[in-house]
Amino acid sequence: SQQGEEDPQALSIQEGENATMNCSYKTSINNLQWYRQNSGRGLVHLILIRSNEREKHSGRLRVTLDTSKKSSSLLITASRAADTASYFCATDRGGGATNKLIFGTGTLLAVQP
Amino acid sequence: EAGVAQSPRYKIIEKRQSVAFWCNPISGHATLYWYQQILGQGPKLLIQFQNNGVVDDSQLPKDRFSAERLKGVDSTLKIQPAKLEDSAVYLCASSLTPGRADTQYFGPGTRLTVL
């Protein structure tokens, strides 16, 4: 079953604008990760935020995590046409040796040039 | 550094036929994962190996799916017999350190169409 749900399901913006995607999950987690998937290509890891962190930055990406609300957001600033892709959040509940990720349903981002 | 390799990239078969997918993880990565991604959904973990042992196969339909990782390196995933609902992209991923919050590196996937 899917742990996370992304919102919105689809988002269309103009180049240069910011894009915000949200992820909600159901159970406690060890960490939350965001991945990008371009059309016809594999998943690429973007950023990992641990349960004891509230905000993390990587280049034009900013991720926040609110464990009390069981939600996370991914902000892409100054978007480019190349950012067009599906974005997935994935939760790792930790415990033992499994490092098992449960992916959400994804947000399809279209950046218009 | 070479990434995760998968083959074939595409496969079309008829229902009740058999199919096998191959994965070569990043060199030195102890953990290997197989995911199923149905169109419009996120990937779902089918099986996870640590070296050549199975760590988690709770979501693997064992009546028709099987997987092995011989010598703790390459892995194959087999479906026998295939059903229409098996149409999906099968993704292989690997990570370096077992039991840690490691980045998983994904291959390009195999797109399976069952007619």
Side-chain angles (χ1 to χ4, degrees):
Chain A
S1 62
Q2 307 274 181
Q3 155 85 305
E5 288 192 8
E6 282 88 338
D7 159 54
Q9 288 189 336
L11 179 61
S12 181
I13 59 174
Q14 296 295 122
E15 212 166 20
E17 294 181 338
N18 296 342
T20 300
M21 288 159 270
N22 303 297
C23 168
S24 60
Y25 56 92
K26 300 174 183 174
T27 63
S28 61
I29 60 172
N30 184 44
N31 67 76
L32 185 145
Q33 303 178 33
W34 285 90
Y35 284 79
R36 180 186 68 212
Q37 186 173 42
N38 296 95
S39 176
R41 298 174 63 176
L43 282 153
V44 174
H45 180 264
L46 295 176
I47 196 165
L48 180 154
I49 186 165
R50 300 182 190 280
S51 59
N52 61 353
E53 297 176 310
R54 292 296 167 259
E55 187 170 312
K56 204 160 183 182
H57 297 254
S58 176
R60 294 184 296 112
L61 307 180
R62 181 173 77 98
V63 168
T64 61
L65 179 65
D66 186 335
T67 53
S68 66
K69 295 181 179 178
K70 293 187 170 59
S71 68
S72 174
S73 67
L74 170 67
L75 168 67
I76 304 174
T77 60
S79 63
R80 306 166 182 169
D83 294 328
T84 295
S86 291
Y87 291 81
F88 295 90
C89 67
T91 53
D92 179 354
R93 293 178 62 182
T98 61
N99 191 26
K100 176 178 178 177
L101 291 181
I102 301 179
F103 284 81
T105 51
T107 291
L108 179 59
L109 173 66
V111 181
Q112 310 297 332
Chain B
E1 178 184 81
V4 176
Q6 290 188 248
S7 69
R9 293 294 309 276
Y10 304 92
K11 191 73 177 179
I12 301 174
I13 61 173
E14 296 191 350
K15 59 183 179 183
R16 292 188 290 272
Q17 286 186 325
S18 301
V19 65
F21 312 126
W22 173 82
C23 172
N24 180 238
I26 293 173
S27 177
H29 280 197
T31 309
L32 185 147
Y33 313 79
W34 283 103
Y35 289 86
Q36 179 193 59
Q37 186 176 20
I38 293 172
L39 185 65
Q41 299 182 18
K44 182 184 80 171
L45 179 69
L46 292 176
I47 188 167
Q48 177 182 344
F49 292 95
Q50 182 175 312
N51 297 310
N52 60 350
V54 175
V55 175
D56 186 336
D57 64 355
S58 57
Q59 298 198 88
L60 186 73
K62 298 180 186 64
D63 58 334
R64 298 183 301 107
F65 286 64
S66 65
E68 60 182 8
R69 189 183 185 196
L70 299 176
K71 301 180 181 179
V73 181
D74 292 7
S75 178
T76 56
L77 175 70
K78 297 179 182 177
I79 308 175
Q80 179 180 7
K83 293 184 175 181
L84 295 177
E85 58 260 36
D86 298 332
S87 293
V89 176
Y90 291 85
L91 296 165
C92 180
S94 67
S95 63
L96 181 61
T97 310
R100 280 185 48 187
D102 262 355
T103 297
Q104 293 187 22
Y105 296 86
F106 284 80
T110 297
R111 182 178 298 276
L112 174 67
T113 301
V114 182
L115 304 176

